[in-house]
Amino acid sequence: MTLLRLSPRALSRSRFALSPMAETLGAMRVLANPCRDPWLASWHERHAGPFRARVAADRFTAGLVRLLTTTGWLPDIVALPPIGGLRTTMAQELAPARRFSDAEVRTQLQESDRHSETPTGLDWLDGANWADRGAELMGAIWHDHVLPDWPRRRALLEREVTYRAGLVAVYGWSNALGSMSRRSSWVGEDAIRFSNRPQADRIVGSEGMLFVPVTLTRGTWLCEVPPDTYALVYPARGAAEAGGGPSPDRVRALERLVGAVRARILLELARPATTTELATLLDVSLGTAGGHIAVLRDAGLIEGTRVGRRVVYRRTDDGDRLAG
């Protein structure tokens, strides 16, 4: 068992962040395999072919992708903590990933290969400038396969942060962390178990740690910059649910009853969300989303709760019955 130990100050300063790099790595893992996530099915169908063609066209790319999608120990070139909070950009994450020397990259990849499901060695590691080439690959996958879908993904991730932040505000970090992943749990009053492997415990610095959701239904990993900066990447709560919901016939019936946009808002509010998150998800203006929210609220179908400077909406019991 491996623990992340946090002082009271570190715990109080821990926060959420988003990571395009982590999202790209997650997308790579999905595209390299048959799709098991219903909400990603149409995206996977469009992108899996071009992605696999890219991989097959270059030996270095094929070797790196195989390693990144089979290892239990990610190299630092793709697993550094994000530095921009909820507004982290891919450019911000690629810059430090490019700074590793070839010797450092080789050491990282050798460790990853040792923890791979099927270790095959690094005979594909030809030429030089491996950190830069790896960053170019991650940037290309982000641009071609993730960025076009980023508004939808970001909306889901922001809703996850809204949900977890609400739990933290009311119940504290231990409750918020409890259901983040199957592999992570709170231990005592000052530690998080993040791995069953017997490794040295990590001591989180006084600035706290980052919690980074990604749109996967499974998979957790730790990003770190020694000696004390850490980010825990975990599956967003809404991703597993996004492919479900009422049958198409019931959705159409609800749309006829209350209108298409209001029906979608009611269905989406199976998970709490802000006006901005709903507007992004539905691809409508803030004013349009706000107008429909006001009608649903006046009808007693949804209610809002202020969390900091945001108002988070959720369905009432009547809203649940109508949506169902």
Side-chain angles (χ1 to χ4, degrees):
M1 181 171 69
T2 309
L3 301 179
L4 285 160
R5 296 195 175 275
L6 299 91
S7 67
R9 176 180 172 84
L11 189 59
S12 69
R13 304 195 71 172
S14 294
R15 57 208 182 276
F16 292 93
L18 298 185
S19 170
M21 179 73 83
E23 190 69 19
T24 300
L25 182 59
M28 178 189 296
R29 290 183 164 187
V30 173
L31 290 172
N33 295 284
C35 184
R36 295 183 292 177
D37 300 330
W39 91 286
L40 288 173
S42 61
W43 170 83
H44 186 277
E45 185 177 354
R46 295 193 307 273
H47 290 273
F51 169 79
R52 291 171 185 171
R54 180 197 299 275
V55 171
D58 177 72
R59 190 164 177 259
F60 175 85
T61 297
L64 184 58
V65 169
R66 184 206 61 79
L67 183 59
L68 295 180
T69 55
T70 60
T71 187
W73 186 288
L74 290 168
D76 292 343
I77 56 172
V78 297
L80 294 173
I83 59 177
L86 295 175
R87 298 188 177 185
T88 301
T89 67
M90 190 60 163
Q92 286 177 310
E93 297 195 272
L94 288 175
R98 295 179 187 274
R99 295 174 188 156
F100 293 102
S101 67
D102 281 353
E104 290 171 325
V105 173
R106 180 180 287 277
T107 299
Q108 294 173 23
L109 297 182
Q110 286 173 337
E111 189 69 19
S112 294
D113 189 60
R114 280 195 289 272
H115 289 82
S116 174
E117 297 168 4
T118 53
T120 60
L122 304 177
D123 60 340
W124 49 269
L125 201 57
D126 56 5
N129 302 317
W130 299 323
D132 196 58
R133 291 164 67 186
E136 288 295 329
L137 173 62
M138 296 303 290
I141 293 173
W142 160 258
H143 183 272
D144 292 350
H145 303 298
V146 183
L147 183 59
D149 199 40
W150 184 235
R152 181 175 71 131
R153 292 170 182 256
R154 186 181 181 96
L156 187 148
L157 296 175
E158 289 177 341
R159 291 176 69 180
E160 161 68 13
V161 170
T162 296
Y163 169 74
R164 297 289 175 189
L167 289 181
V168 172
V170 177
Y171 302 108
W173 276 108
S174 59
N175 187 285
L177 179 68
S179 58
M180 277 183 179
S181 78
R182 292 173 295 176
R183 296 174 57 187
S184 301
S185 62
W186 199 260
V187 178
E189 297 181 355
D190 65 348
I192 300 168
R193 177 182 61 81
F194 74 93
S195 173
N196 291 323
R197 293 189 182 126
Q199 303 170 17
D201 292 351
R202 271 73 157 181
I203 308 299
V204 178
S206 60
E207 292 303 306
M209 67 177 296
L210 299 174
F211 295 95
V212 181
V214 289
T215 59
L216 296 172
T217 56
R218 62 193 66 83
T220 303
W221 63 90
L222 187 70
C223 303
E224 57 185 302
V225 175
D228 60 6
T229 302
Y230 299 95
L232 184 66
V233 179
Y234 71 95
R237 171 177 171 268
E241 305 167 7
S247 68
D249 286 345
R250 289 197 174 188
V251 172
R252 285 191 291 271
L254 183 61
E255 289 175 346
R256 290 197 300 272
L257 182 64
V258 300
V261 176
R262 291 172 197 167
R264 286 203 57 195
I265 289 174
L266 267 182
L267 295 175
E268 290 295 339
L269 287 182
R271 299 179 300 279
T274 65
T275 303
T276 300
E277 292 161 358
L278 289 168
T280 301
L281 196 65
L282 274 59
D283 194 24
V284 298
S285 70
L286 272 175
T288 297
H292 289 298
I293 285 171
V295 172
L296 294 170
R297 186 184 60 228
D298 292 344
L301 299 175
I302 66 174
E303 60 187 2
T305 303
R306 183 165 292 280
V307 179
R309 290 181 292 178
R310 300 183 297 175
V311 176
V312 180
Y313 292 96
R314 55 180 49 79
R315 291 194 310 229
T316 62
D317 291 343
D318 286 343
D320 283 339
R321 284 191 286 271
L322 181 59

